[in-house]
Amino acid sequence: MKAAIIGGTGYSSVELVRLLHQHPFVDVTTIISNSQAGSMLHETYPHVTCVVEQTLQSLDLNKLSQSVEIVFLATPSGVSKSIVPGLMENGVKCIDLSGDFRLRSAQSYEEWYKHTAADERYLAKATYGLSEIYEEQIKSATLIANPGCYPTATLLGLMPVIKNKLIDNKTIIIDAKSGVSGAGRSVSMGTHFAEVNENLKAYKIGAHQHIPEIEQTLQNETGQSQAITFTTHLVPMTRGIMCTMHANLSDVITTSDVLQLYNEFYQAHHFVRVRPEGTFPSTKEVLGSNFCDIGLHVDARTGRLTIISVIDNLVKGASGQAIQNLNLLNGWDVRTGLLEVPVYP
Amino acid sequence: MKAAIIGGTGYSSVELVRLLHQHPFVDVTTIISNSQAGSMLHETYPHVTCVVEQTLQSLDLNKLSQSVEIVFLATPSGVSKSIVPGLMENGVKCIDLSGDFRLRSAQSYEEWYKHTAADERYLAKATYGLSEIYEEQIKSATLIANPGCYPTATLLGLMPVIKNKLIDNKTIIIDAKSGVSGAGRSVSMGTHFAEVNENLKAYKIGAHQHIPEIEQTLQNETGQSQAITFTTHLVPMTRGIMCTMHANLSDVITTSDVLQLYNEFYQAHHFVRVRPEGTFPSTKEVLGSNFCDIGLHVDARTGRLTIISVIDNLVKGASGQAIQNLNLLNGWDVRTGLLEVPVYP
Amino acid sequence: MKAAIIGGTGYSSVELVRLLHQHPFVDVTTIISNSQAGSMLHETYPHVTCVVEQTLQSLDLNKLSQSVEIVFLATPSGVSKSIVPGLMENGVKCIDLSGDFRLRSAQSYEEWYKHTAADERYLAKATYGLSEIYEEQIKSATLIANPGCYPTATLLGLMPVIKNKLIDNKTIIIDAKSGVSGAGRSVSMGTHFAEVNENLKAYKIGAHQHIPEIEQTLQNETGQSQAITFTTHLVPMTRGIMCTMHANLSDVITTSDVLQLYNEFYQAHHFVRVRPEGTFPSTKEVLGSNFCDIGLHVDARTGRLTIISVIDNLVKGASGQAIQNLNLLNGWDVRTGLLEVPVYP
Amino acid sequence: MKAAIIGGTGYSSVELVRLLHQHPFVDVTTIISNSQAGSMLHETYPHVTCVVEQTLQSLDLNKLSQSVEIVFLATPSGVSKSIVPGLMENGVKCIDLSGDFRLRSAQSYEEWYKHTAADERYLAKATYGLSEIYEEQIKSATLIANPGCYPTATLLGLMPVIKNKLIDNKTIIIDAKSGVSGAGRSVSMGTHFAEVNENLKAYKIGAHQHIPEIEQTLQNETGQSQAITFTTHLVPMTRGIMCTMHANLSDVITTSDVLQLYNEFYQAHHFVRVRPEGTFPSTKEVLGSNFCDIGLHVDARTGRLTIISVIDNLVKGASGQAIQNLNLLNGWDVRTGLLEVPVYP
């Protein structure tokens, strides 16, 4: 299958290049980067020298539609909404890694993203690509809105207790932490090494655009609208997201019982690993891989459940999950091209 | 004033050496380290070469009692409880940086620390040295239990809303993050660079020994016993603690109003800096200094208050606050020897 | 092909596990760790959970000899010399990642390693496994002494000018820098995060055990014994080695001409990538991969050549090169199982 | 004494603010930043909140000349050359932390800096402020060209053997490594955290503008022009420079004898600390302080001397040495305001 990547010099894009290089059924024939068109990918990213020898191209919708079957859009928010319609009209399936098609409500998008939203007809066609949860819908999708990095870690961590109505949804508090690659490759004072190194910073408090994405999915599952507290932090590391999630339990239940529920829930899902009682995952234990690892603890003193979930923000939080969705879309084994063991240490 | 430091090769101890070197009224005449007695401090810590040329000594209680007026104990938990009584009987004042005298209840100490507690007569004599809050008590103390690093950041962050009854105490959830120096200088797999670098890890979930210390102080202030959720994380940096604290507000109130309350509460306190609305402190902005910086946000969508507080765990979270307490004890300006500007970047 | 790994809980060993998991012709059936025998590998390394579900075993030479065809020894120096003879007598081929069989001279080994050397009969049987240079010898080896991390980066960087007699060998000065994983997983003050982070340290100056390994190979090629200056530094990162190498040129020659020579020399070698004039590789550009990237510069002002080579110390500097050697040994494509793109950023 | 700082939002500038805050005889009354004029310094650098409450001002030469006695210029290269003449004409002494007045030869400046050089009359008036070496000249200077960070570490490391003619100057090879703050605060891909973290990079090979500065001083001392090999690397840390220097010894001499020479040479100089035989300084051991620490080793096998020197690039390599020079200029104890113990760990 021939594939194209749009947004060729961002981190998610080059991560797609890395992962698809190992995919037996996909050939990345076109990498689009309007800003670097005409140069080789390895001029921007020397690490692909001798491995991926491609010239970056500028976007030509017609040519692209005729030459590939699938397009990954790894563009900044506000870009893919103008590209996707043209591709879909020509019968090309799209997997959008940006936030443009994740929120059903155009109004909510405009409120949180401060951009004009995509056309509502296309918003309605988009399938939310949280692979483990919406497997069936993804299989028949034409446009996949690949989830955000934070929502992936959060929703995989919460889904078993949400679906089993084990917690009081009004009490959900999420403390989220991310490595710096989540901010993308654009230069800014906020990503300057000397400002980030040996530093921990909270940002976008109460204002992160992933909040409505999480709330929308929770509402889908519970039928109720419920605001959550979601606080984001920048950690001095390159890759990795950890979400530490707290909620009041509806019933008295032990850690062991909740773990059993999680193990059953994710039994058939290769990429979610539930850790044994008393142990918790750290971000590096999934680095470079498509795993989401989960640990949890019931605190009898407070009646609260604390869930820890970790992912590599560029893999399960972006490009890896996009490939997982491509596998679902094509009826391939979901693990195809994603068998890498985490790089540790 | 002649001072001694016991526990001479730990990080808090060498930080006392650094800070007291700039104190005009204190002379560190004795540094005790049973394990390294006979060697020079700069053999363990070459950075003090030519600055502090002292030989480490083994502990001799009688000699020590006669030669100094104040002793800082920067020992692992379970050690100072055997040393402090002998010093106090000889009229030497003690500032204990370990956890041995922080909890009033011997039973609680033994439950959380898994050691035998100190003699209850001495527990009763200890003054909890949270400088800004217990200023008056500290001035007349003979034994100061210097607060833990996490409790310092947490309690300074919460105290204004606790004292003003602005939050529902049953809903307090604290997400705490620390640099690696908080684990001390002992070698272990958990502090190995290759295991910690580019990694974020949660630890001691629901089991950290600073939980009862925080709860005891909250109970002092509210008159009610209330369990809190307190989750600790290890961040790939050397120094710094951030506590992200969440609670339901009792009333409808704006961020601006809560900030005004904090500004008034800490107006007379040099070392607590309240940040303007919309801004939040990062850990590096206090590195090397005795400041505790606080930012906060009221989320109208959830009715919750989120407070961010940061300290340098080795300064305000240990040695700096110990010196601040020494200043209070002696009626000196609380800033004496602690005027350093944070080291940034 | 069935393979065993001895030294199961070190970093090189778990890196072998990661890489061999992707090798189509090799099955790691036995992982030996005397210290952790009986426990699962994922108890020590949670990142392999659900991927490699093996119980660590204690060493039983007879059983091992009957069950596998190849053994990787990833043991501390001084261990494999006692294990290899027994395996070889039973017809099992060995790839030793330690230094035990690298030096032909037992006396030199004892001088630099401060251990008793291996039996000279086995030293004589060992083939030095610098894959690109000794390809032919490796193909028919029975015992491969896998090169050290520093010698790999150094020798690949120097070999084209050594073989072409372009430099004055008496003037070779090598400034080598390594990430902390090179020190292994044992805990020590020298690998404590708070001591290494935000710190750069020189160590073992004039005394590193890789010096005689480099000199022996240079002597092989030049026929002359020549002492080199080789200075090692510990860099605050986990993976990566950079060698910055200086030597006086024998003739007047341009950067461009030297680069052409390197390109020709390594043309048939997939894993050595020579960078274009004016560009130099950084360590992260090979992270997780088996590449050795090289850049160089002729300084007309001084008549000196400066060569920069980088590798991932755990891959090309250890486990990756071991697998490359296994491929050579079996007549497989040298890239088998080693096609991973570097993990960047 | 009233002082001004020009270049108010760079790292050297805010480091001057930090250090001068502790200087008993100097009052920073004016901080100039054309780009941020009108805003408070703490808006750019929140870490000075409540400590330095000054409004940044735009440059008004006349006003400035009348209000201060000394001006520190911490501006990018090419800026101070237009400001200094006006200040000097009005009798204001200048300490320039940029490279504009370091090279005597305008031609050399233009060749290496790619800017127009300063007026030669002012170049002639400049005193090179390498404090320990040119103490006497600095005392009577009117314009001090504060040395570059790399030249400071290099020249302090080499000067004793240069002055004592112990090495063959034609063989000097310097491998220099710097933390990222040396690149300043401007944002660029080269300082993006995700590009620098867990990465080691060589840069400006054979082309660094500090090369002619080092060579000019060596020529001053030896009377001979001699090109050196000087290779710079970017290390994933914020502060710190290490120079590893190699040269052939002219005579047979022991490590111990060379160390004795260094100890004598720097005996009267508080800020240079020579380490005992067999030990070498690491960068963190001087972090935040004005020390330059030196260790060295004679390798009998090669007849070469290896010298390691470390400094904090923002202190001894910039702002600290500037204050040391101010102290010399005023006849104050050279340590005034610079007594800080390094911040370790």
Side-chain angles (χ1 to χ4, degrees):
Chain A
M1 174 175 285
K2 288 181 179 173
I5 298 169
I6 303 182
T9 55
Y11 288 146
S12 296
S13 173
V14 78
E15 189 71 357
L16 278 169
V17 168
R18 177 175 81 89
L19 294 168
L20 288 171
H21 185 67
Q22 308 228 21
H23 199 294
F25 310 143
V26 180
D27 197 9
V28 178
T29 56
T30 312
I31 308 176
I32 309 272
S33 165
N34 283 332
S35 67
Q36 306 289 324
S39 71
M40 300 290 283
L41 180 62
H42 69 65
E43 293 178 58
T44 302
Y45 287 110
H47 73 282
V48 304
T49 302
C50 301
V51 179
V52 181
E53 290 297 348
Q54 292 205 17
T55 303
L56 298 169
Q57 301 181 26
S58 55
L59 181 60
D60 176 334
L61 264 184
N62 284 333
K63 197 175 141 197
L64 189 64
S65 301
Q66 282 156 26
S67 61
V68 301
E69 292 166 76
I70 186 88
V71 172
F72 294 93
L73 295 107
T75 43
S77 62
V79 173
S80 61
K81 67 167 184 268
S82 322
I83 301 174
V84 160
L87 290 168
M88 290 182 69
E89 277 164 27
N90 285 307
V92 179
K93 291 187 177 181
C94 295
I95 301 179
D96 181 26
L97 283 77
S98 86
D100 279 16
F101 294 94
R102 291 183 199 147
L103 301 185
R104 296 268 161 88
S105 154
Q107 186 191 334
S108 175
Y109 179 89
E110 296 182 354
E111 184 183 331
W112 290 88
Y113 281 82
K114 320 287 182 200
H115 292 295
T116 310
D119 186 317
E120 303 218 346
R121 282 170 305 167
Y122 288 91
L123 290 182
K125 285 180 188 168
T127 301
Y128 187 63
L130 188 63
S131 313
E132 279 75 13
I133 308 302
Y134 302 116
E135 217 168 355
E136 289 313 311
Q137 295 90 318
I138 293 164
K139 285 178 182 170
S140 55
T142 50
L143 165 58
I144 294 173
N146 214 56
C149 48
Y150 285 127
T152 297
T154 298
L155 292 169
L156 291 178
L158 286 176
M159 208 52 86
V161 284
I162 292 289
K163 293 226 186 213
N164 285 281
K165 299 192 172 63
L166 268 181
I167 58 170
D168 176 354
N169 297 337
K170 289 191 305 298
T171 64
I172 299 174
I173 289 180
I174 300 156
D175 221 78
K177 300 103 183 169
S178 175
V180 184
S181 64
R185 202 175 187 236
S186 331
V187 300
S188 74
M189 195 55 69
T191 56
H192 190 299
F193 183 86
E195 306 282 323
V196 172
N197 180 44
E198 187 68 7
N199 201 0
L200 177 66
K201 202 182 176 72
Y203 70 102
K204 285 196 188 175
I205 300 197
H208 200 288
Q209 71 276 12
H210 286 170
I211 293 175
E213 183 179 338
I214 296 167
E215 289 178 355
Q216 168 183 282
T217 304
L218 293 181
Q219 187 174 357
N220 277 355
E221 297 298 328
T222 64
Q224 291 174 320
S225 168
Q226 182 57 55
I228 57 167
T229 290
F230 183 79
T231 311
T232 42
H233 303 78
L234 192 67
V235 178
M237 59 186 192
T238 301
R239 288 176 180 237
I241 277 182
M242 176 181 286
C243 290
T244 308
M245 297 172 273
H246 311 277
N248 291 359
L249 285 160
S250 314
D251 283 307
V252 177
I253 187 170
T254 63
T255 299
S256 160
D257 286 343
V258 182
L259 278 172
Q260 190 180 333
L261 186 93
Y262 272 69
N263 276 312
E264 285 164 12
F265 191 93
Y266 286 120
Q267 192 161 17
H269 295 283
H270 177 74
F271 292 120
V272 181
R273 304 188 294 190
V274 180
R275 293 298 178 81
E277 187 163 357
T279 68
F280 297 88
S282 73
T283 58
K284 204 176 194 171
E285 290 165 5
V286 298
L287 194 149
S289 81
N290 199 46
F291 289 110
C292 173
D293 284 13
I294 298 173
L296 56 83
H297 174 72
V298 170
D299 187 352
R301 298 170 64 254
T302 58
R304 282 195 197 106
L305 171 66
T306 295
I307 307 162
I308 310 269
S309 68
V310 300
I311 59 170
D312 181 325
N313 55 304
L314 294 179
V315 189
K316 184 62 174 170
S319 308
Q321 186 158 238
I323 294 170
Q324 189 177 356
N325 286 332
L326 178 73
N327 289 340
L328 286 171
L329 206 53
N330 288 284
W332 301 328
D333 184 322
V334 82
R335 295 166 298 179
T336 314
L338 294 170
L339 283 170
E340 293 193 28
V341 181
V343 179
Y344 190 97
Chain B
M1 174 177 282
K2 288 181 179 172
I5 298 169
I6 303 183
T9 55
Y11 287 146
S12 296
S13 173
V14 78
E15 189 71 355
L16 279 169
V17 167
R18 177 176 80 90
L19 295 168
L20 288 171
H21 185 67
Q22 308 228 22
H23 199 294
F25 310 142
V26 180
D27 197 10
V28 177
T29 56
T30 312
I31 307 176
I32 309 272
S33 165
N34 282 332
S35 66
Q36 305 289 324
S39 70
M40 301 290 283
L41 180 61
H42 69 66
E43 293 178 56
T44 302
Y45 287 110
H47 73 282
V48 304
T49 302
C50 301
V51 179
V52 180
E53 291 296 348
Q54 293 205 16
T55 304
L56 298 168
Q57 300 181 27
S58 56
L59 180 60
D60 177 333
L61 264 185
N62 284 333
K63 197 176 139 198
L64 190 64
S65 301
Q66 283 156 25
S67 61
V68 302
E69 292 166 75
I70 186 87
V71 172
F72 294 93
L73 295 107
T75 43
S77 63
V79 173
S80 59
K81 67 168 185 266
S82 321
I83 301 173
V84 160
L87 290 168
M88 289 182 70
E89 278 164 25
N90 286 307
V92 179
K93 291 187 176 181
C94 294
I95 300 179
D96 181 27
L97 282 77
S98 86
D100 279 17
F101 295 94
R102 291 184 199 146
L103 302 184
R104 296 267 161 88
S105 155
Q107 186 191 333
S108 175
Y109 179 90
E110 296 181 355
E111 184 184 329
W112 291 89
Y113 282 82
K114 321 286 182 200
H115 292 294
T116 311
D119 186 318
E120 302 217 347
R121 284 171 305 168
Y122 287 91
L123 290 182
K125 285 181 188 167
T127 301
Y128 188 62
L130 188 63
S131 312
E132 279 75 13
I133 309 301
Y134 302 116
E135 216 168 355
E136 289 312 311
Q137 296 91 317
I138 293 164
K139 285 178 181 171
S140 56
T142 51
L143 165 58
I144 294 173
N146 214 56
C149 49
Y150 284 127
T152 297
T154 298
L155 293 169
L156 290 177
L158 286 176
M159 207 52 85
V161 284
I162 292 289
K163 293 227 186 211
N164 285 282
K165 301 192 169 63
L166 268 182
I167 57 170
D168 176 356
N169 297 337
K170 290 191 304 296
T171 64
I172 299 174
I173 289 181
I174 300 156
D175 220 79
K177 300 103 182 168
S178 175
V180 183
S181 64
R185 204 176 185 234
S186 330
V187 301
S188 74
M189 195 55 71
T191 57
H192 190 299
F193 183 85
E195 306 282 323
V196 172
N197 180 44
E198 187 70 7
N199 201 359
L200 177 65
K201 201 184 176 71
Y203 69 103
K204 285 196 187 174
I205 299 198
H208 199 287
Q209 70 277 10
H210 287 170
I211 293 175
E213 183 180 337
I214 296 167
E215 289 178 355
Q216 168 182 282
T217 303
L218 293 181
Q219 187 173 358
N220 277 355
E221 298 298 329
T222 63
Q224 291 176 320
S225 169
Q226 182 57 55
I228 57 167
T229 289
F230 184 80
T231 310
T232 44
H233 303 78
L234 192 67
V235 178
M237 61 186 190
T238 302
R239 288 175 180 236
I241 277 181
M242 177 181 286
C243 290
T244 307
M245 297 173 272
H246 311 277
N248 291 0
L249 284 161
S250 314
D251 283 306
V252 176
I253 186 169
T254 64
T255 299
S256 161
D257 285 344
V258 182
L259 278 172
Q260 190 180 331
L261 186 94
Y262 273 69
N263 276 312
E264 284 164 14
F265 191 93
Y266 286 120
Q267 191 162 19
H269 295 283
H270 177 75
F271 292 121
V272 180
R273 304 188 294 192
V274 180
R275 293 298 178 81
E277 186 163 357
T279 68
F280 297 87
S282 73
T283 59
K284 204 176 195 172
E285 290 165 5
V286 298
L287 194 149
S289 81
N290 200 47
F291 288 110
C292 172
D293 285 11
I294 299 173
L296 55 83
H297 174 72
V298 170
D299 188 352
R301 298 170 64 254
T302 58
R304 280 193 199 109
L305 171 66
T306 295
I307 307 162
I308 309 270
S309 68
V310 301
I311 59 170
D312 181 325
N313 55 304
L314 294 178
V315 189
K316 185 62 175 171
S319 308
Q321 186 158 236
I323 293 170
Q324 189 178 357
N325 287 331
L326 178 73
N327 289 340
L328 287 171
L329 206 53
N330 287 284
W332 301 328
D333 184 321
V334 82
R335 295 166 299 179
T336 314
L338 294 170
L339 284 170
E340 293 192 29
V341 181
V343 178
Y344 190 96
Chain C
M1 174 176 283
K2 286 180 180 175
I5 299 169
I6 304 183
T9 54
Y11 287 147
S12 296
S13 174
V14 78
E15 190 70 356
L16 278 168
V17 168
R18 176 175 82 89
L19 295 168
L20 288 171
H21 184 68
Q22 309 229 19
H23 198 292
F25 309 142
V26 181
D27 197 9
V28 177
T29 56
T30 312
I31 307 176
I32 309 273
S33 167
N34 282 332
S35 68
Q36 305 290 324
S39 72
M40 302 290 283
L41 180 61
H42 70 66
E43 294 177 58
T44 301
Y45 287 111
H47 74 281
V48 304
T49 302
C50 302
V51 179
V52 180
E53 291 296 349
Q54 292 204 16
T55 304
L56 298 168
Q57 300 181 27
S58 54
L59 180 60
D60 177 335
L61 265 184
N62 284 333
K63 197 175 138 197
L64 190 63
S65 301
Q66 284 157 24
S67 60
V68 302
E69 291 167 76
I70 185 86
V71 171
F72 294 94
L73 296 106
T75 43
S77 63
V79 173
S80 60
K81 67 168 185 266
S82 321
I83 301 174
V84 160
L87 290 168
M88 289 182 70
E89 279 164 25
N90 284 308
V92 179
K93 291 189 175 179
C94 294
I95 300 179
D96 181 25
L97 284 76
S98 87
D100 279 16
F101 295 93
R102 292 183 198 148
L103 301 184
R104 295 266 161 89
S105 155
Q107 185 191 334
S108 176
Y109 179 90
E110 295 181 356
E111 184 185 329
W112 290 88
Y113 281 83
K114 322 288 181 198
H115 292 294
T116 311
D119 185 319
E120 302 217 348
R121 286 172 301 168
Y122 287 92
L123 289 182
K125 286 182 188 168
T127 301
Y128 188 62
L130 189 63
S131 314
E132 279 74 13
I133 309 302
Y134 302 116
E135 216 168 357
E136 289 313 311
Q137 296 90 318
I138 294 165
K139 284 179 181 168
S140 57
T142 50
L143 165 59
I144 294 173
N146 213 57
C149 47
Y150 284 126
T152 297
T154 298
L155 293 167
L156 291 177
L158 286 176
M159 207 52 85
V161 284
I162 292 289
K163 293 227 185 213
N164 285 283
K165 299 191 172 62
L166 268 182
I167 59 171
D168 176 355
N169 297 336
K170 289 191 304 299
T171 65
I172 298 174
I173 289 182
I174 299 155
D175 221 79
K177 301 102 183 167
S178 174
V180 184
S181 63
R185 202 176 186 234
S186 330
V187 300
S188 73
M189 195 56 70
T191 56
H192 190 299
F193 182 87
E195 305 283 323
V196 173
N197 181 43
E198 187 68 8
N199 201 0
L200 177 65
K201 201 184 178 71
Y203 69 103
K204 286 195 187 175
I205 299 198
H208 200 287
Q209 70 276 10
H210 287 169
I211 292 175
E213 183 179 338
I214 296 168
E215 290 178 355
Q216 168 182 281
T217 304
L218 294 180
Q219 188 173 356
N220 277 355
E221 298 297 329
T222 64
Q224 291 175 318
S225 169
Q226 182 57 55
I228 57 167
T229 290
F230 183 80
T231 311
T232 43
H233 303 78
L234 192 67
V235 178
M237 59 186 192
T238 301
R239 288 175 180 238
I241 276 181
M242 176 181 286
C243 290
T244 307
M245 297 172 275
H246 312 278
N248 291 0
L249 285 159
S250 315
D251 283 308
V252 175
I253 187 169
T254 63
T255 299
S256 160
D257 286 343
V258 183
L259 277 172
Q260 191 181 331
L261 186 95
Y262 273 69
N263 276 312
E264 284 163 12
F265 191 93
Y266 286 120
Q267 192 162 18
H269 295 283
H270 177 74
F271 292 121
V272 180
R273 305 187 294 192
V274 180
R275 292 298 178 83
E277 186 164 358
T279 67
F280 297 88
S282 73
T283 58
K284 204 176 194 170
E285 290 166 4
V286 298
L287 194 150
S289 82
N290 199 46
F291 289 110
C292 172
D293 284 13
I294 298 174
L296 55 83
H297 174 74
V298 170
D299 188 353
R301 299 170 64 252
T302 58
R304 282 195 196 107
L305 171 66
T306 295
I307 308 162
I308 309 268
S309 68
V310 300
I311 59 169
D312 181 326
N313 56 304
L314 294 178
V315 189
K316 184 63 175 169
S319 308
Q321 186 158 236
I323 294 170
Q324 189 178 358
N325 286 332
L326 179 73
N327 290 339
L328 287 171
L329 207 55
N330 287 285
W332 302 327
D333 184 321
V334 83
R335 295 168 297 178
T336 314
L338 294 170
L339 283 169
E340 292 193 29
V341 181
V343 178
Y344 189 96
Chain D
M1 176 176 281
K2 287 181 180 173
I5 299 169
I6 304 183
T9 55
Y11 288 147
S12 296
S13 174
V14 77
E15 189 71 355
L16 279 168
V17 167
R18 176 175 82 89
L19 296 168
L20 288 171
H21 184 68
Q22 308 228 20
H23 199 293
F25 310 143
V26 181
D27 196 10
V28 178
T29 57
T30 311
I31 307 176
I32 309 273
S33 166
N34 282 334
S35 67
Q36 305 290 323
S39 70
M40 302 290 285
L41 180 61
H42 70 65
E43 293 177 58
T44 301
Y45 287 111
H47 74 282
V48 304
T49 302
C50 300
V51 178
V52 180
E53 290 296 347
Q54 292 205 17
T55 303
L56 298 168
Q57 300 180 26
S58 54
L59 180 60
D60 176 335
L61 265 184
N62 284 332
K63 198 175 139 197
L64 190 62
S65 301
Q66 284 156 24
S67 61
V68 301
E69 291 167 75
I70 186 86
V71 171
F72 294 93
L73 296 106
T75 43
S77 63
V79 173
S80 61
K81 66 167 184 269
S82 322
I83 301 174
V84 159
L87 291 169
M88 288 181 72
E89 278 163 27
N90 285 307
V92 179
K93 292 188 175 180
C94 294
I95 300 179
D96 181 25
L97 283 77
S98 87
D100 278 15
F101 294 93
R102 292 182 199 148
L103 301 184
R104 295 267 161 89
S105 155
Q107 186 191 333
S108 176
Y109 179 90
E110 294 182 356
E111 184 184 328
W112 290 88
Y113 281 83
K114 322 285 182 200
H115 292 293
T116 311
D119 185 318
E120 303 218 346
R121 284 171 302 166
Y122 288 92
L123 290 181
K125 286 181 189 167
T127 301
Y128 187 62
L130 190 62
S131 314
E132 279 74 13
I133 308 303
Y134 302 116
E135 215 167 357
E136 289 312 310
Q137 296 90 317
I138 293 165
K139 284 178 182 170
S140 56
T142 51
L143 165 59
I144 294 173
N146 214 57
C149 48
Y150 285 126
T152 297
T154 298
L155 293 168
L156 292 177
L158 286 176
M159 208 50 86
V161 285
I162 292 289
K163 294 226 185 214
N164 286 281
K165 300 192 169 62
L166 268 182
I167 58 170
D168 176 355
N169 297 337
K170 289 191 305 297
T171 65
I172 298 174
I173 289 181
I174 299 155
D175 218 78
K177 301 104 182 166
S178 174
V180 183
S181 63
R185 201 176 189 233
S186 330
V187 300
S188 74
M189 197 54 72
T191 56
H192 190 298
F193 183 87
E195 306 283 324
V196 173
N197 181 45
E198 187 69 7
N199 201 359
L200 177 65
K201 199 181 178 73
Y203 69 103
K204 286 195 187 176
I205 299 198
H208 200 287
Q209 71 277 11
H210 286 169
I211 294 175
E213 183 180 338
I214 296 168
E215 290 178 354
Q216 169 182 280
T217 304
L218 294 181
Q219 188 173 356
N220 277 355
E221 298 296 330
T222 64
Q224 292 176 320
S225 169
Q226 183 56 55
I228 57 167
T229 289
F230 184 80
T231 310
T232 42
H233 303 77
L234 191 67
V235 178
M237 60 186 190
T238 302
R239 289 176 180 237
I241 276 180
M242 176 181 285
C243 290
T244 308
M245 297 173 274
H246 312 278
N248 291 1
L249 284 159
S250 315
D251 283 308
V252 176
I253 186 170
T254 63
T255 299
S256 160
D257 285 343
V258 183
L259 277 173
Q260 190 180 331
L261 185 94
Y262 272 69
N263 276 311
E264 284 162 14
F265 191 93
Y266 286 120
Q267 190 162 19
H269 295 283
H270 177 73
F271 292 122
V272 180
R273 304 186 296 189
V274 180
R275 292 299 177 82
E277 186 164 356
T279 67
F280 297 88
S282 72
T283 58
K284 204 176 194 171
E285 290 166 5
V286 298
L287 194 149
S289 82
N290 198 47
F291 289 110
C292 172
D293 284 13
I294 298 173
L296 55 82
H297 174 73
V298 170
D299 188 354
R301 298 171 63 252
T302 58
R304 281 195 198 106
L305 171 66
T306 295
I307 308 162
I308 309 268
S309 69
V310 301
I311 59 169
D312 181 326
N313 55 305
L314 294 178
V315 189
K316 185 63 174 168
S319 308
Q321 186 159 236
I323 294 170
Q324 188 177 356
N325 286 333
L326 179 73
N327 290 339
L328 287 170
L329 207 53
N330 287 284
W332 301 327
D333 184 321
V334 83
R335 294 166 299 178
T336 314
L338 295 169
L339 284 168
E340 293 193 27
V341 181
V343 178
Y344 190 96

